[in-house]
């Protein structure tokens, strides 16, 4: 889950990262009140989940509350880089002397978190990594030991930070690390990390991504959920289903990612195209099957559904009950072919047969039936 700048800043500040004083507003009038409370020059920042807002006109320095109202109104009434702006962050403007970059991310190859720093902050860091890789320093972190002060000192030296700032840089980097750990973040970055004219360090912009698989441990982050999430995305997140929409017309519902890929292959072998990749996961209970079928059937291109379940921990009778219930609720207009083998398969088949649903003996046969059913119907999409 990507977090907005103001949300990321709250999580970072809770662990001691210095951030500018400010608040988020949903209306221009609320923005004015915040600006008046802060006094002096402020910055109005569009809250959208995309970088490069500055260049796109989403970050504006304002001298007066009247200007704040105008800019907030403008930002809140039109999309920025194609995304609706629901909130603006109004902060006391920072007097920036230098812009640095400081970020924590996962290095999959090293199988650990890395702390990265660059003296070329404020700009697109991927671009810096490409054009001037030497300007980006990375320190891999041992997951058992965590971030040690000597590692931060090395970065401070590489950045040519004045020695007077080293202690503050050290506590800031540790606070960044602690916040990322505490929130199960896969990314936590401060860009720019400003050295102010007064000689302080300040996180002027922040971005965090929280690992979706760890969200269950963070009920306090529930209110951070994106209101622009689509109904399908919400169902997916709440039910723990992985769903990727594809271009074909044969929908699949499978337990396990590997089996889902094999199912897609066999559909292709028979000349069909999968409409989605859907993994209901291990040990899927009745409710999750109902949700999965609802998700599949929201796609108007679906011409046939192939359900392929290999019962291990997942019990076929439980899945069968979910299928019967889901079909009763969703009343699909397309043929459904079910292949169900493994734990409790006899009971599962009996439940399906009682509901007048037909099963296929093998995946090969199931895919063949699904492709044939699709061809019997609408043919224009493939
Ligand atoms: P981004 O473009 O989405 O990354 O948004 P940022 O918050 O990083 O802002 C972009 C740039 O605007 C920064 O790199 C700064 O140069 C500038 N900026 C943002 N906030 C302030 C501020 O409070 N004071 C000053 N002087 N510049 C700012
Ligand atoms: Mn930025």
């Amino acid at each position: 889950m990507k977090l907005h700048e103001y949300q990321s800043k709250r999580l970072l500040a809770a662990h001691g990262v210095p951030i500018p004083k400010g608040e988020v507003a949903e209306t221009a009038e609320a923005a004015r009140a915040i600006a008046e409370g802060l006094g002096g020059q402020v910055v109005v920042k569009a809250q959208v989940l995309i970088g490069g807002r500055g260049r796109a006109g989403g970050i504006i320095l304002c001298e007066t509350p009247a200007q704040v109202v105008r800019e907030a109104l403008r930002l809140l009434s039109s999309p920025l880089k194609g995304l609706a702006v629901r909130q603006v962050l109004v902060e006391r403007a920072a007097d920036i002397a230098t812009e640095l970059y400081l970020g924590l991310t996962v290095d999959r190859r090293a199988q650990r978190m890395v702390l990265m720093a660059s003296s070329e902050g404020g700009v697109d860091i991927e671009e810096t990594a490409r054009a001037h890789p030497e300007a980006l320093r990375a320190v891999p972190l041992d997951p058992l030991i965590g971030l040690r002060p000597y590692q931060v000192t090395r970065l401070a030296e590489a950045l040519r930070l004045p020695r007077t700032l080293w202690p503050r840089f050290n506590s800031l980097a540790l606070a960044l690390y602690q916040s990322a750990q505490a929130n199960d973040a896969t990314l936590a970055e401060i860009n720019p990390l400003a050295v102010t004219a007064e000689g302080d360090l300040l996180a002027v912009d922040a971005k965090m991504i929280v690992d979706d698989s760890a969200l269950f441990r963070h009920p306090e982050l529930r209110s951070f959920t994106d209101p622009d999430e689509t109904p399908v995305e919400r169902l997916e997140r709440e039910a723990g289903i992985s769903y990727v929409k594809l271009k074909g017309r044969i929908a699949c519902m499978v337990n396990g990612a590997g089996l889902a890929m094999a199912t897609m292959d066999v559909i292709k072998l028979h000349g069909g195209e999968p409409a989605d990749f859907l993994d209901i996961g291990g040990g899927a209970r009745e409710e999750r099957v109902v949700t999965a079928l609802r998700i599949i059937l929201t796609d108007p291109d679906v011409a046939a559904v192939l359900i392929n379940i290999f019962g291990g921990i997942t019990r076929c009778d439980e899945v069968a009950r979910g299928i019967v219930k889901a079909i009763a609720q969703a009343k699909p207009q397309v043929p459904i072919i079910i292949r169900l083998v493994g734990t409790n398969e006899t009971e599962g088949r009996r439940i399906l047969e009682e509901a007048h649903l037909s099963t296929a003996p093998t995946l090969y046969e199931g895919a063949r039936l699904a492709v044939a059913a699709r061809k019997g119907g609408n043919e224009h999409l493939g």
Side-chain angles (χ1 to χ4, degrees), residues 236 242-246 275-279:
E236 249 185 285
S242 334
Y243 171 80
V244 181
K245 178 169 159 40
L246 301 169
D276 65 73
F277 168 100
L278 188 148
D279 175 10

Side-chain angles (χ1 to χ4, degrees), residues 20-21 34-35 38-44 60-65 67-68 90-96:
K21 203 166 178 317
I34 299 166
L38 292 171
Q41 196 186 40
V42 299
V43 58
V44 179
I60 299 109
L61 282 169
C62 296
E63 303 299 331
T64 63
Q67 193 188 354
V68 169
V90 183
E91 286 183 337
R92 179 171 291 156
D95 193 354
I96 303 177

Side-chain angles (χ1 to χ4, degrees), residues 247-260:
K247 293 204 175 78
R249 307 207 59 193
I250 314 238
C252 329
M253 180 173 117
V254 187
N255 63 324
L259 190 59

